[in-house]
């Protein structure tokens, strides 16, 4: 029975490649140079589909792919319906944070019950976070470059991923609240986990052994 793995181009593909190698799998083509969306591997029973990072959970949820690699940020926003998340791959490690312009007193604004405009691509996750904290927000959906929003007056704050903090610093923003620690997870379609158990479990085990920093 063949297994289809959903990956996104860029960092996820690059950082998953060594894990695949540890499982004896090598992609036949590089998605950075190939325009192909279905890529074969050295194993006739394993194929890779290249999809947008935010689409990986959807492909796996509906069984168009059996397994995939997706950031916790993407999974939180998706909701995780129909998915097993058996393994933290410890790649793509960063944090989902609230950030504001340097000099903006976030705690004081929250303390006096101010209504804040917050720009993000993580609408559901942000809505839940601020509701839980009792912070009043108007959320503004963006698709990228969130850091620009406070600089142009579009928003008072942003919710975005922070890794090195270089992007925040370069734009005179500071992180004021952590929403969640983020890393990439292996995700598995629930039906495939039963129907293709042997093949998928072998992959999960091989990935698990190769996870960076594994004790
Ligand atoms: C992410 C994120 C920040 C940046 C943070 O963007 O949205 O902009 O990285 O990294 P840093 O703290 O190391 O500067 P990415 O480059 O992944 O592009 P994206 O906006 O398409 O998500």
């Amino acid at each position: 029975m063949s297994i289809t793995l959903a990956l996104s181009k860029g960092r996820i593909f690059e950082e998953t490649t060594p894990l695949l190698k540890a499982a004896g799998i090598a992609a036949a083509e590089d998605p950075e140079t190939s325009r192909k969306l279905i890529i074969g591997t050295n194993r006739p029973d394993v194929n890779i589909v290249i999809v947008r990072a935010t689409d990986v959970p959807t492909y796996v949820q509906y069984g168009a792919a059996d397994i995939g690699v997706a950031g916790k940020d993407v999974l939180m926003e998706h909701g995780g319906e129909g998915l097993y998340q058996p393994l933290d791959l410890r790649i793509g490690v960063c944090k989902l944070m609230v950030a504001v312009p340097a000099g903006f007193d976030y705690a004081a604004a929250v303390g006096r019950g101010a209504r804040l405009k917050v720009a993000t691509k993580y609408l559901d996750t942000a809505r839940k976070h601020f509701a839980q904290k009792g912070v009043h927000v108007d959320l503004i959906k963006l698709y990228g470059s969130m850091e620009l929003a406070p600089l142009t007056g579009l928003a008072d704050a942003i919710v975005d991923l922070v890794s090195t903090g270089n992007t925040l610093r370069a734009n005179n923003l500071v992180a004021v609240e952590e929403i969640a620690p983020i890393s990439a997870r292996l995700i598995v379609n629930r039906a495939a986990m039963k129907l293709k158990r042997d093949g998928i479990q072998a992959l999960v085990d091989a990935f698990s052994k190769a996870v960076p920093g594994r004790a």
Side-chain angles (χ1 to χ4, degrees), residues 143-179:
Y143 292 87
S145 301
M146 266 76 79
E147 294 86 357
L148 184 61
L151 307 182
T152 53
L154 180 63
D156 303 304
I158 61 170
V159 167
D160 195 12
L161 299 178
V162 179
S163 176
T164 60
N166 286 341
T167 311
L168 290 184
R169 271 189 294 277
N171 293 291
N172 204 25
L173 302 172
V174 289
V176 288
E177 205 162 75
E178 178 174 333
I179 297 179

